[in-house]
Amino acid sequence: LKYDEVISAEHPIGWSVGTDFESPLDHPPAELTDGHRHLVPYLSFSKVLSEQLKVIGYTSLSANFVSHSPLAPNFGRNQLHTNSNTLTAGVTRDYTRFRVALTGNWSSSALLSDENHHVFSFRPDIIIPLTKTPEAKSRTHLLVIFGGRAVHGPDGTELGVNGSVRIEFAVRGGKK
């Protein structure tokens, strides 16, 4: 669930507020779930930093409220095992056929639980749109994402690469 106010001449700072909910359904393979439910309210902001260079800065603050499900716990490496807050900041730059993004995260269980663990991460990404329609006119976007990650937390430091395909659907209300 999300409300989005995009950057425009009337609104030089874009923002969104929403809530994500994740829960394992039935009995998925253990590799696909940590076995817990997550309720994640968030507030995000974005601002054009340079129109000439097509650079946008963004930041987000979220909370992750974790609850048990009938499945066995299966937390990944450097994944916090309890309620936590996350602060995210980054920049993105548009090029003709792709976009690059650099994002940093700090997650901490210190404020919302009796644990005091922290996870820091840094992610460079290359995002390639596969749909030809300009984003402002299309309600569906198909993206290919290639990236890297550096994570440091209670379980040590890890480096990795990733790739994904993402489909985004936008629902817009009509004006009467």
Side-chain angles (χ1 to χ4, degrees):
L1 182 62
K2 175 181 178 181
Y3 176 80
D4 211 11
E5 189 70 50
V6 296
I7 296 174
S8 65
E10 300 158 359
H11 304 282
I13 296 178
W15 63 276
S16 64
V17 61
T19 300
D20 292 336
F21 178 71
E22 299 175 20
S23 179
L25 299 175
D26 198 29
H27 290 88
E31 300 82 25
L32 299 180
T33 180
D34 63 11
H36 284 74
R37 293 183 184 96
H38 299 266
L39 179 65
V40 185
Y42 62 87
L43 177 63
S44 301
F45 296 95
S46 60
K47 180 169 178 33
V48 175
L49 301 178
S50 171
E51 284 192 36
Q52 182 181 12
L53 296 176
K54 298 180 181 177
V55 175
I56 296 176
Y58 53 90
T59 187
S60 178
L61 180 62
S62 65
N64 183 5
F65 298 102
V66 179
S67 62
H68 296 284
S69 77
L71 300 179
N74 185 33
F75 288 106
R77 187 169 179 201
N78 286 323
Q79 183 180 1
L80 298 176
H81 300 189
T82 187
N83 298 341
S84 61
N85 292 96
T86 298
L87 176 63
T88 301
V91 294
T92 183
R93 180 169 186 209
D94 284 339
Y95 291 91
T96 304
R97 296 198 170 137
F98 63 94
R99 175 181 302 145
V100 295
L102 298 171
T103 306
N105 285 306
W106 171 46
S107 297
S108 174
S109 60
L111 293 176
L112 295 178
S113 75
D114 56 357
E115 294 183 11
N116 189 17
H117 296 293
H118 306 277
V119 176
F120 302 92
S121 66
F122 178 72
R123 295 182 56 100
D125 289 309
I126 298 172
I127 302 131
I128 304 166
L130 297 180
T131 49
K132 302 293 183 199
T133 308
E135 287 189 22
K137 294 182 180 180
S138 176
R139 292 179 184 241
T140 305
H141 306 125
L142 182 60
L143 307 167
V144 173
I145 304 167
F146 300 102
R149 67 182 179 281
V151 180
H152 178 76
D155 299 325
T157 301
E158 58 184 295
L159 302 173
V161 295
N162 61 285
S164 63
V165 176
R166 186 167 79 196
I167 301 172
E168 296 178 346
F169 301 100
V171 178
R172 296 183 185 102
K175 295 187 179 186
K176 296 182 180 183

